[in-house]
Amino acid sequence: MALQIYNTMTRSKEAFVPQEPGKVKMYVCGPTVYGYMHIGNARPVIVFDTVRNYLEQTGNEVRYLTNFTDVDDKMIRKAEEMNITVADVAEMFIAAYQEDLQGLGVKPATMNPRVTQSMDMIIEFIKELEEKGYAYESGGDVYYRTGKFADYGKLSRQNLEELQFGIRVEVDSRKEKPEDFVLWKAAKPGEVHWHSPWGEGRPGWHIECSAMVREYLGETIDIHGGGQDLQFPHHECECAQTEALTGKPLSNYWMHNGFLNIGDEKMSKSLGNGLLVKDIRQRFKAGAIRYFMLSTHYRNPLNFSEEALMSAEKSAERIALAESNLKHRLELAPEGVQGEASSAVAERLAAITGNFHAKMQDDFNTPDAITAVFDWVNLANQTLANNETASADFAALLKAFAVMNNVLGLVPEQEEEIASEEVERLIAERAEARKNKNWARSDEIRDELGSLGILLEDTPQGMRWRRK
Ligand code: AMP
Ligand code: ZN
């Protein structure tokens, strides 16, 4: 079966065919960097990282772009509030965002274009829209002439009359029509600004993505993503801007993640502390957070709660434990394992990974793909119990796990290392204590390791450890 993706544009699942075989151009709208990443923002971040991982795992080269909106009204207000420059606000929150990404086991994008570094391409784009009659200048602002683009509303499936009805008529005499949207805003006195053919100002929000996509990816991309709230107006406006110039689709597939809610409340940045990724990361590992995010289908709503995260943590730990037990048992056989995996294990592994791929190919059905991971956990534990010594089955199990884990990231590499490093450190300390005949400390460490689920075995070959 080929990969099927639910395309918001057609409201149906479609076979995914990139324009160039084996190469995927993907763009996901990024954050406005005026605050820390909240747990709602982490949803698209993890979802699209997983999509990208799956495409790469199945042999595609993915060019993955996600932007930083580093100047807008909210940025300007934040800078005033903090009494620093807009650029300083951006630096501060981009650095924090990147730390959060790393902490969530999310791979860096191929590129993170920023608005303030993309002014030339943005101004050029607006100039071309103006030349074609899709944009008009009015009092130093430039607006998009929505009525001229016949397809306006096609993504969010609204027609212009409905839209006009829905839009609160702003008291803004500069627009020809209320549904027209701003491409360039004249700067207010004292505000950060750039020089343009229409005077000093800065871009509107929607234009940056159209300009960056065209510059770095080309006229038509394969996948465009973001949270469902971006369908309208943001993505609708992106389509209008790009397609008015090219006459071609901006993206062949549109993917939107559902919202993360707290109780019945929609999450917003104003909900504040405790819900920030930087704080949640203090208490939960990336594997647990990713498990929580991926155990619901990306298009469904997801309810956030402390309990849900705690339960995700337990599940992620079960997976991590099975993996580290296999690794550890293999390490105990420094001469390595000989031969092939048994046919029973090989067959069951083929069924598990086959199932994993089938679920992922069905519009990235991660909750069902995780079920395949648990079939793997059961098989791993049975195989560990059935084999006294290291077996080629262990190596085969680890290989199959790596394929699934490279995609879902439920056991990020750094977490395995930290766990093992801590154990090794305590074991070394205990050996030292025993050398010094400090039996009290030696016993204390044995208990401490016991509480971490580690069993120590004094063997003729020296100290060995395994997880319970
Ligand atoms: P923002 O910085 O608010 O523009 O959001 C950045 C990204 O996070 C966008 O793709 C939003 O759609 C997404 N997003 C914001 N809040 C949530 C939420 N509560 N659940 C899921 N996605 C969200
Ligand atoms: Zn965008």
Side-chain angles (χ1 to χ4, degrees):
M1 192 175 92
L3 173 62
Q4 303 277 312
I5 296 184
Y6 182 88
N7 187 354
T8 310
M9 186 63 85
T10 59
R11 304 289 193 277
S12 62
K13 281 188 205 171
E14 294 173 12
F16 177 66
V17 186
Q19 299 166 89
E20 201 180 324
K23 299 219 163 131
V24 179
K25 295 175 180 179
M26 183 168 169
Y27 183 94
V28 176
C29 300
T32 306
V33 283
Y34 71 103
Y36 292 106
M37 187 195 291
H38 64 59
I39 189 69
N41 301 136
R43 192 170 190 199
V45 159
I46 292 174
V47 160
F48 291 107
D49 178 58
T50 306
V51 167
R52 174 218 191 152
N53 289 344
Y54 190 68
L55 290 166
E56 286 179 348
Q57 178 70 48
T58 49
N60 296 285
E61 191 187 301
V62 181
R63 233 175 116 62
Y64 181 82
L65 257 72
T66 175
N67 64 315
F68 286 127
T69 303
D70 60 352
V71 60
D72 84 338
D73 288 340
K74 287 173 281 191
M75 296 284 303
I76 291 172
R77 249 182 281 132
K78 189 75 186 180
E80 281 166 5
E81 218 177 280
M82 295 179 76
N83 204 16
I84 54 177
T85 64
V86 170
D88 288 340
V89 173
E91 284 315 318
M92 172 178 166
F93 290 112
I94 287 174
Y97 192 85
Q98 276 164 336
E99 243 174 67
D100 281 339
L101 290 183
Q102 205 186 2
L104 292 172
V106 169
K107 276 202 290 206
T110 315
M111 201 183 171
N112 290 111
R114 303 182 188 188
V115 177
T116 57
Q117 294 165 359
S118 312
M119 278 312 156
D120 290 352
M121 66 186 83
I122 290 173
I123 290 169
E124 174 58 29
F125 205 109
I126 301 173
K127 265 168 48 186
E128 288 176 39
L129 283 171
E130 196 180 28
E131 278 157 23
K132 286 202 160 191
Y134 286 98
Y136 58 92
E137 192 265 345
S138 176
D141 287 349
V142 182
Y143 293 96
Y144 186 92
R145 189 171 279 126
T146 324
K148 189 175 162 69
F149 184 68
D151 277 342
Y152 193 74
K154 70 172 173 176
L155 179 66
S156 53
R157 302 230 168 158
Q158 311 175 70
N159 61 36
L160 220 44
E161 287 86 73
E162 283 163 352
L163 281 170
Q164 283 160 347
F165 186 72
I167 292 170
R168 269 180 286 137
V169 183
E170 294 162 41
V171 193
D172 192 342
S173 56
R174 281 181 283 190
K175 284 190 197 179
E176 286 174 3
K177 292 270 173 61
E179 65 276 14
D180 292 352
F181 58 89
V182 70
L183 298 166
W184 186 263
K185 278 184 183 188
K188 297 197 187 93
E191 260 181 15
V192 57
H193 56 85
W194 284 262
H195 186 68
S196 82
W198 316 283
E200 302 302 311
R202 63 192 157 86
W205 173 31
H206 313 303
I207 193 69
E208 66 195 64
C209 296
S210 284
M212 290 165 178
V213 165
R214 179 171 81 162
E215 179 78 12
Y216 299 114
L217 295 174
E219 291 185 334
T220 299
I221 58 173
D222 298 300
I223 299 176
H224 195 125
Q228 68 182 23
D229 58 320
L230 298 188
Q231 279 175 37
F232 185 83
H234 185 55
H235 288 164
E236 197 69 73
C237 296
E238 284 187 35
C239 283
Q241 293 161 162
T242 299
E243 296 178 14
L245 285 192
T246 65
K248 296 179 195 147
L250 166 56
S251 179
N252 285 337
Y253 302 83
W254 288 85
M255 293 181 68
H256 292 98
N257 66 269
F259 250 58
L260 178 143
N261 304 313
I262 297 185
D264 287 332
E265 249 184 292
K266 259 195 170 186
M267 265 224 64
S268 73
K269 279 195 179 141
S270 58
L271 277 170
N273 295 336
L275 298 171
L276 299 178
V277 169
K278 74 180 178 65
D279 297 329
I280 294 175
R281 282 202 290 117
Q282 302 292 318
R283 293 183 297 131
F284 294 95
K285 291 180 185 165
I289 302 172
R290 293 183 72 103
Y291 187 101
F292 163 71
M293 291 289 179
L294 299 175
S295 54
T296 295
H297 191 272
Y298 78 89
R299 282 193 284 121
N300 290 340
L302 172 60
N303 279 321
F304 176 82
S305 69
E306 178 95 16
E307 297 74 52
L309 261 183
M310 275 160 39
S311 136
E313 183 178 42
K314 282 211 184 80
S315 305
E317 274 174 3
R318 265 190 68 202
I319 301 168
L321 196 62
E323 195 215 13
S324 69
N325 281 341
L326 287 168
K327 282 197 167 161
H328 187 59
R329 289 274 290 278
L330 275 179
E331 278 162 19
L332 292 182
E335 66 285 358
V337 287
Q338 306 299 322
E340 303 267 302
S342 65
S343 58
V345 166
E347 270 168 34
R348 284 181 66 188
L349 278 178
I352 288 168
T353 46
N355 190 26
F356 173 83
H357 283 294
K359 300 306 180 192
M360 289 303 289
Q361 291 188 344
D362 181 14
D363 190 30
F364 308 100
N365 187 343
T366 53
D368 284 1
I370 290 176
T371 308
V373 176
F374 274 104
D375 291 340
W376 176 88
V377 170
N378 291 337
L379 181 61
N381 289 340
Q382 273 168 26
T383 312
L384 281 162
N386 290 344
N387 288 277
E388 275 297 312
T389 53
S391 138
D393 287 351
F394 296 175
L397 276 155
L398 286 171
K399 207 169 144 202
F401 181 73
V403 170
M404 302 191 282
N405 196 46
N406 284 347
V407 175
L408 303 174
L410 302 178
V411 188
E413 222 168 89
Q414 70 264 34
E415 285 173 19
E416 283 169 25
E417 279 164 18
I418 291 164
S420 300
E421 270 170 24
E422 177 66 4
V423 170
E424 300 290 350
R425 191 189 62 73
L426 285 168
I427 289 174
E429 194 188 330
R430 182 167 173 270
E432 189 62 25
R434 284 164 75 87
K435 214 168 81 191
N436 299 332
K437 304 202 175 349
N438 185 351
W439 309 118
R441 179 66 189 138
S442 162
D443 289 349
E444 208 176 87
I445 293 175
R446 180 182 282 267
D447 292 347
E448 196 176 327
L449 286 165
S451 70
L452 292 172
I454 304 296
L455 282 181
L456 292 180
E457 290 163 348
D458 281 309
T459 72
Q461 290 79 36
M463 180 61 63
R464 285 181 170 181
W465 62 274
R466 66 184 171 85
R467 297 176 199 261
K468 280 189 222 169

